[in-house]
Amino acid sequence: MDNGSLAWYIAATALVLFMTPGVAFFYGGLVKAKSVVSMMMMSFGAMGLIAVLWILYGYNMQTADWWPGVLGNPFSDFGLTTMASDPASSAVNLTAVAYGATFAIITIALISGAIADRAKFGSWMIFAFLFATIDYFAVAGWVWNTNGWIFNLGTTLFGADAGVEVIDYAGGTAVHINAGAAALALALVLGKRVGFKKGITKPHNVPLVLLGAAILWFGWFGFNAGAAAFFVSPDGTTGDVLAGIGAVGSPAGLIVINTLGATAAAVLGWVIVEKLKDGKATSVGAASGAVAGLVAITPSCANLAPGWALLLGIIAGGVCALAVELKWKLGFDDSLDVVGVHLVGGLIGTLYLGFFATGTGLFLGGGWHQLVLQLIAAVTVLVFSFVVAFIIGFAIEKTIGFRIKNEDEIAGVDTTVHGEEGYSLAEQV
């Protein structure tokens, strides 16, 4: 890898890491003023914990070579000692490990939005530790490692001659469906907030929400385009790592324009539906629409023509604007709409490829194979994540407790759990 591509890869790693503080700001602005510290701490807690776990053994587990196609040996290179001792490859490989860590971090952080206002921080950290270890580290290997069963599902089901495999360029399944399904499970385990009903709370700080959304959109170019630094020749004849962004045939340009276009279209899709439904287009709706578009384009950013990416954004923004109402109709308290945005948006972006993926989509020269593969991958990750998260969350709730007391929830999570206030407005003596 040339120095320019390596520099971009390091920058992309920093961009994706910055996305988790973006999640913290986005979620923090949406909750009550007396819950903002707690909400943001769950994201920062994930940054600290998951990075350590990934370096110690998480990266090893996603290699999917110990239990073939399913799981890697967590102790195969514990603490990356062997990798770091190889001067010929350590710069590139360790950077790749760091890049992967940022995906693990944000996946866990996203889940926290479903349990805003009512979760114990210590219990959340135990959940994050167990869920990352049992679920995410394995699922990342299924989807992205060349040994993973989802990575090779097309060849397994239809043979190599069919020329189709599951498409998930940057995390529709491993990140968004995974996080969204886990969020639904935890929302059911912890139950409803005190006084749960439509309009129970309003965002306490709208500018904070917009700031968080802006950081996410900014960082998402690293999320989607970062992997282009390790772009491998599409003819498959050499398998050599090429010069990333500048390589002939690199999808980087397509990824960048699709990440911009689909997100912008989703903003429009959300606010149009919001205007038609509620009579007003809101800034929080625009921010949420941007996130929905980013979620939907994540798996498909390298495999859609720009026009189809725009259509995807419009659909994702509009559908997610409707999907966030499901919690009121079905009675589950997903505080910050992780299910409506990340689970639904991830499903839309993943399944959309079955119809419109360039060359393999049902409507663009392919058959039904791509759609079947996308559906199997999406449903499998959804079910696995939900079951794992529900079992872990239920076990924590029934032992040490996951939810705070009702009186503490009413008093405010920040002071009862962290002993802090997000805004100290009283005059200091």
Side-chain angles (χ1 to χ4, degrees):
M1 177 174 282
D2 64 80
N3 289 337
S5 293
L6 181 58
W8 160 242
Y9 210 35
I10 294 170
T13 300
L15 284 170
V16 183
L17 182 63
F18 191 40
M19 287 170 65
T20 298
V23 171
F25 284 123
F26 184 76
Y27 283 173
L30 288 170
V31 296
K32 298 180 290 187
K34 55 187 177 181
S35 299
V36 60
V37 173
S38 169
M39 193 70 259
M40 298 184 79
M41 267 295 288
M42 286 198 275
S43 289
F44 276 84
M47 292 177 74
L49 176 63
I50 305 305
V52 170
L53 298 181
W54 183 261
I55 292 168
L56 289 177
Y57 61 83
Y59 173 78
N60 300 328
M61 291 181 68
Q62 65 90 44
T63 58
D65 58 0
W66 188 34
W67 180 357
V70 179
L71 193 65
N73 182 355
F75 304 107
S76 58
D77 186 14
F78 193 78
L80 306 175
T81 302
T82 302
M83 183 184 292
S85 66
D86 181 5
S89 62
S90 62
V92 172
N93 290 339
L94 291 174
T95 302
V97 173
Y99 184 68
T102 62
F103 280 67
I105 290 167
I106 196 169
T107 301
I108 304 303
L110 289 172
I111 300 169
S112 65
I115 54 174
D117 297 329
R118 61 197 188 280
K120 295 179 180 179
F121 180 70
S123 298
W124 160 252
M125 293 293 281
I126 293 171
F127 172 84
F129 164 70
L130 293 172
F131 185 79
T133 300
I134 298 171
D135 179 283
Y136 181 82
F137 298 158
V139 172
W142 298 355
V143 174
W144 290 315
N145 194 277
T146 54
N147 298 314
W149 73 267
I150 288 180
F151 188 95
N152 295 291
L153 186 61
T155 299
T156 302
L157 292 182
F158 306 122
D161 292 341
V164 291
E165 294 291 356
V166 173
I167 300 172
D168 188 355
Y169 194 85
T173 56
V175 176
H176 298 293
I177 293 175
N178 204 5
L184 176 59
L186 285 193
L188 294 176
V189 169
L190 269 67
K192 302 171 185 176
R193 286 167 289 176
V194 175
F196 175 73
K197 62 181 179 179
K198 194 169 185 178
I200 179 176
T201 59
K202 294 183 179 180
H204 88 279
N205 191 324
V206 172
L208 208 61
V209 176
L210 294 174
L211 174 63
I215 291 172
L216 284 168
W217 198 341
F218 173 73
W220 224 285
F221 288 99
F223 198 71
N224 284 353
F230 271 148
F231 173 62
V232 178
S233 176
D235 61 21
T237 55
T238 64
D240 291 336
V241 176
L242 301 182
I245 290 288
V248 175
S250 168
L254 180 64
I255 292 169
V256 169
I257 198 66
N258 283 348
T259 301
L260 173 65
T263 309
V267 173
L268 300 180
W270 189 296
V271 297
I272 288 170
V273 169
E274 194 175 43
K275 175 66 175 177
L276 293 174
K277 181 168 64 74
D278 302 324
K280 290 183 173 62
T282 68
S283 55
V284 171
S288 300
V291 175
L294 291 165
V295 170
I297 197 60
T298 292
S300 53
C301 56
N303 296 88
L304 293 178
W308 293 118
L310 292 177
L311 178 61
L312 171 60
I314 287 285
I315 293 171
V319 172
C320 289
L322 297 172
V324 297
E325 299 292 323
L326 288 175
K327 66 183 181 184
W328 309 116
K329 300 181 184 302
L330 300 180
F332 62 93
D333 190 0
D334 170 21
S335 308
L336 305 184
D337 300 318
V338 186
V339 176
V341 174
H342 293 276
L343 179 56
V344 173
L347 286 169
I348 291 171
T350 299
L351 298 180
Y352 188 87
L353 284 159
F355 299 100
F356 299 109
T358 303
T360 60
L362 185 61
F363 298 150
L364 293 178
W368 51 271
H369 299 82
Q370 190 70 64
L371 180 58
V372 170
L373 293 175
Q374 300 301 118
L375 181 61
I376 292 173
V379 171
T380 302
V381 172
L382 190 161
V383 172
F384 180 74
S385 173
F386 179 87
V387 171
V388 170
F390 190 90
I391 292 173
I392 295 172
F394 186 81
I396 294 172
E397 175 64 16
K398 293 303 180 182
T399 52
I400 64 173
F402 207 145
R403 179 172 177 154
I404 63 174
K405 298 176 182 178
N406 287 349
E407 53 267 33
D408 291 338
E409 178 185 334
I410 295 170
V413 187
D414 290 353
T415 54
T416 58
V417 174
H418 298 286
E420 296 178 300
E421 296 180 2
Y423 307 95
S424 183
L425 302 179
E427 183 179 351
Q428 299 295 318
V429 179

mmCIF file of all heavy atoms in Angstrom, residues 239-263:
data_model
loop_
_atom_site.group_PDB
_atom_site.id
_atom_site.type_symbol
_atom_site.label_atom_id
_atom_site.label_comp_id
_atom_site.label_asym_id
_atom_site.label_seq_id
_atom_site.Cartn_x
_atom_site.Cartn_y
_atom_site.Cartn_z
ATOM 1 N N GLY A 239 -5.421 -10.574 -6.857
ATOM 2 C CA GLY A 239 -5.747 -10.454 -5.438
ATOM 3 C C GLY A 239 -4.879 -9.426 -4.733
ATOM 4 O O GLY A 239 -4.889 -9.326 -3.518
ATOM 5 N N ASP A 240 -4.103 -8.648 -5.486
ATOM 6 C CA ASP A 240 -3.233 -7.663 -4.870
ATOM 7 C C ASP A 240 -4.037 -6.480 -4.359
ATOM 8 O O ASP A 240 -5.050 -6.084 -4.926
ATOM 9 C CB ASP A 240 -2.203 -7.132 -5.894
ATOM 10 C CG ASP A 240 -1.194 -8.189 -6.287
ATOM 11 O OD1 ASP A 240 -1.005 -9.120 -5.488
ATOM 12 O OD2 ASP A 240 -0.632 -8.088 -7.376
ATOM 13 N N VAL A 241 -3.541 -5.907 -3.275
ATOM 14 C CA VAL A 241 -4.123 -4.664 -2.790
ATOM 15 C C VAL A 241 -3.622 -3.539 -3.677
ATOM 16 O O VAL A 241 -2.425 -3.386 -3.905
ATOM 17 C CB VAL A 241 -3.712 -4.413 -1.327
ATOM 18 C CG1 VAL A 241 -4.240 -3.068 -0.859
ATOM 19 C CG2 VAL A 241 -4.256 -5.528 -0.442
ATOM 20 N N LEU A 242 -4.546 -2.772 -4.213
ATOM 21 C CA LEU A 242 -4.174 -1.709 -5.140
ATOM 22 C C LEU A 242 -4.068 -0.379 -4.415
ATOM 23 O O LEU A 242 -4.195 -0.307 -3.193
ATOM 24 C CB LEU A 242 -5.218 -1.632 -6.253
ATOM 25 C CG LEU A 242 -5.382 -2.925 -7.062
ATOM 26 C CD1 LEU A 242 -6.408 -2.704 -8.159
ATOM 27 C CD2 LEU A 242 -4.065 -3.366 -7.664
ATOM 28 N N ALA A 243 -3.849 0.652 -5.189
ATOM 29 C CA ALA A 243 -3.592 1.969 -4.601
ATOM 30 C C ALA A 243 -4.884 2.675 -4.217
ATOM 31 O O ALA A 243 -5.071 3.853 -4.470
ATOM 32 C CB ALA A 243 -2.792 2.823 -5.572
ATOM 33 N N GLY A 244 -5.793 1.927 -3.627
ATOM 34 C CA GLY A 244 -6.974 2.479 -2.986
ATOM 35 C C GLY A 244 -7.770 3.447 -3.833
ATOM 36 O O GLY A 244 -8.213 3.117 -4.915
ATOM 37 N N ILE A 245 -7.937 4.667 -3.309
ATOM 38 C CA ILE A 245 -8.781 5.676 -3.923
ATOM 39 C C ILE A 245 -8.397 5.917 -5.383
ATOM 40 O O ILE A 245 -9.241 6.120 -6.232
ATOM 41 C CB ILE A 245 -8.674 6.997 -3.132
ATOM 42 C CG1 ILE A 245 -9.357 6.833 -1.765
ATOM 43 C CG2 ILE A 245 -9.284 8.143 -3.876
ATOM 44 C CD1 ILE A 245 -10.859 6.766 -1.835
ATOM 45 N N GLY A 246 -7.114 5.898 -5.679
ATOM 46 C CA GLY A 246 -6.672 6.221 -7.027
ATOM 47 C C GLY A 246 -6.587 5.049 -7.967
ATOM 48 O O GLY A 246 -6.209 5.212 -9.132
ATOM 49 N N ALA A 247 -6.915 3.843 -7.517
ATOM 50 C CA ALA A 247 -6.759 2.656 -8.351
ATOM 51 C C ALA A 247 -7.775 2.642 -9.492
ATOM 52 O O ALA A 247 -8.907 3.082 -9.339
ATOM 53 C CB ALA A 247 -6.915 1.400 -7.517
ATOM 54 N N VAL A 248 -7.363 2.118 -10.631
ATOM 55 C CA VAL A 248 -8.275 1.957 -11.750
ATOM 56 C C VAL A 248 -9.365 0.974 -11.339
ATOM 57 O O VAL A 248 -9.094 -0.134 -10.889
ATOM 58 C CB VAL A 248 -7.523 1.434 -12.988
ATOM 59 C CG1 VAL A 248 -8.505 1.158 -14.114
ATOM 60 C CG2 VAL A 248 -6.468 2.438 -13.425
ATOM 61 N N GLY A 249 -10.606 1.371 -11.515
ATOM 62 C CA GLY A 249 -11.715 0.509 -11.139
ATOM 63 C C GLY A 249 -12.133 0.597 -9.692
ATOM 64 O O GLY A 249 -13.069 -0.074 -9.273
ATOM 65 N N SER A 250 -11.450 1.418 -8.900
ATOM 66 C CA SER A 250 -11.835 1.559 -7.494
ATOM 67 C C SER A 250 -13.245 2.125 -7.395
ATOM 68 O O SER A 250 -13.615 3.030 -8.141
ATOM 69 C CB SER A 250 -10.859 2.492 -6.780
ATOM 70 O OG SER A 250 -11.368 2.840 -5.513
ATOM 71 N N PRO A 251 -14.059 1.595 -6.469
ATOM 72 C CA PRO A 251 -15.427 2.115 -6.316
ATOM 73 C C PRO A 251 -15.504 3.389 -5.491
ATOM 74 O O PRO A 251 -16.597 3.861 -5.200
ATOM 75 C CB PRO A 251 -16.137 0.964 -5.591
ATOM 76 C CG PRO A 251 -15.057 0.362 -4.746
ATOM 77 C CD PRO A 251 -13.785 0.472 -5.564
ATOM 78 N N ALA A 252 -14.368 3.962 -5.116
ATOM 79 C CA ALA A 252 -14.373 5.070 -4.163
ATOM 80 C C ALA A 252 -15.232 6.248 -4.626
ATOM 81 O O ALA A 252 -16.006 6.803 -3.846
ATOM 82 C CB ALA A 252 -12.946 5.539 -3.897
ATOM 83 N N GLY A 253 -15.107 6.641 -5.883
ATOM 84 C CA GLY A 253 -15.890 7.767 -6.374
ATOM 85 C C GLY A 253 -17.383 7.494 -6.319
ATOM 86 O O GLY A 253 -18.177 8.360 -5.913
ATOM 87 N N LEU A 254 -17.773 6.300 -6.719
ATOM 88 C CA LEU A 254 -19.182 5.916 -6.669
ATOM 89 C C LEU A 254 -19.687 5.913 -5.231
ATOM 90 O O LEU A 254 -20.797 6.377 -4.948
ATOM 91 C CB LEU A 254 -19.355 4.527 -7.291
ATOM 92 C CG LEU A 254 -20.780 3.962 -7.326
ATOM 93 C CD1 LEU A 254 -21.669 4.828 -8.211
ATOM 94 C CD2 LEU A 254 -20.769 2.509 -7.809
ATOM 95 N N ILE A 255 -18.875 5.411 -4.322
ATOM 96 C CA ILE A 255 -19.257 5.367 -2.912
ATOM 97 C C ILE A 255 -19.487 6.774 -2.373
ATOM 98 O O ILE A 255 -20.468 7.044 -1.673
ATOM 99 C CB ILE A 255 -18.176 4.653 -2.090
ATOM 100 C CG1 ILE A 255 -18.121 3.174 -2.452
ATOM 101 C CG2 ILE A 255 -18.418 4.820 -0.598
ATOM 102 C CD1 ILE A 255 -16.919 2.448 -1.891
ATOM 103 N N VAL A 256 -18.602 7.677 -2.703
ATOM 104 C CA VAL A 256 -18.704 9.049 -2.194
ATOM 105 C C VAL A 256 -19.966 9.731 -2.717
ATOM 106 O O VAL A 256 -20.722 10.354 -1.955
ATOM 107 C CB VAL A 256 -17.445 9.853 -2.573
ATOM 108 C CG1 VAL A 256 -17.646 11.340 -2.300
ATOM 109 C CG2 VAL A 256 -16.238 9.342 -1.801
ATOM 110 N N ILE A 257 -20.230 9.626 -4.020
ATOM 111 C CA ILE A 257 -21.410 10.306 -4.577
ATOM 112 C C ILE A 257 -22.693 9.676 -4.069
ATOM 113 O O ILE A 257 -23.688 10.362 -3.802
ATOM 114 C CB ILE A 257 -21.364 10.329 -6.119
ATOM 115 C CG1 ILE A 257 -22.328 11.389 -6.669
ATOM 116 C CG2 ILE A 257 -21.655 8.971 -6.719
ATOM 117 C CD1 ILE A 257 -21.950 12.813 -6.323
ATOM 118 N N ASN A 258 -22.700 8.357 -3.876
ATOM 119 C CA ASN A 258 -23.901 7.697 -3.360
ATOM 120 C C ASN A 258 -24.147 8.030 -1.895
ATOM 121 O O ASN A 258 -25.299 8.171 -1.469
ATOM 122 C CB ASN A 258 -23.791 6.185 -3.536
ATOM 123 C CG ASN A 258 -24.043 5.734 -4.968
ATOM 124 O OD1 ASN A 258 -24.519 6.514 -5.790
ATOM 125 N ND2 ASN A 258 -23.732 4.494 -5.270
ATOM 126 N N THR A 259 -23.068 8.148 -1.121
ATOM 127 C CA THR A 259 -23.213 8.520 0.284
ATOM 128 C C THR A 259 -23.779 9.927 0.419
ATOM 129 O O THR A 259 -24.587 10.207 1.316
ATOM 130 C CB THR A 259 -21.863 8.409 1.005
ATOM 131 O OG1 THR A 259 -21.378 7.062 0.898
ATOM 132 C CG2 THR A 259 -21.977 8.778 2.480
ATOM 133 N N LEU A 260 -23.378 10.798 -0.474
ATOM 134 C CA LEU A 260 -23.930 12.154 -0.490
ATOM 135 C C LEU A 260 -25.374 12.149 -0.975
ATOM 136 O O LEU A 260 -26.277 12.695 -0.318
ATOM 137 C CB LEU A 260 -23.080 13.040 -1.399
ATOM 138 C CG LEU A 260 -23.615 14.455 -1.668
ATOM 139 C CD1 LEU A 260 -23.626 15.271 -0.378
ATOM 140 C CD2 LEU A 260 -22.785 15.148 -2.743
ATOM 141 N N GLY A 261 -25.607 11.520 -2.124
ATOM 142 C CA GLY A 261 -26.907 11.614 -2.776
ATOM 143 C C GLY A 261 -28.029 10.929 -2.031
ATOM 144 O O GLY A 261 -29.117 11.500 -1.858
ATOM 145 N N ALA A 262 -27.794 9.701 -1.599
ATOM 146 C CA ALA A 262 -28.851 8.968 -0.912
ATOM 147 C C ALA A 262 -29.238 9.662 0.387
ATOM 148 O O ALA A 262 -30.426 9.724 0.750
ATOM 149 C CB ALA A 262 -28.399 7.531 -0.636
ATOM 150 N N THR A 263 -28.264 10.201 1.073
ATOM 151 C CA THR A 263 -28.540 10.886 2.345
ATOM 152 C C THR A 263 -29.346 12.151 2.110
ATOM 153 O O THR A 263 -30.323 12.430 2.831
ATOM 154 C CB THR A 263 -27.219 11.221 3.051
ATOM 155 O OG1 THR A 263 -26.418 10.044 3.116
ATOM 156 C CG2 THR A 263 -27.464 11.753 4.445
#
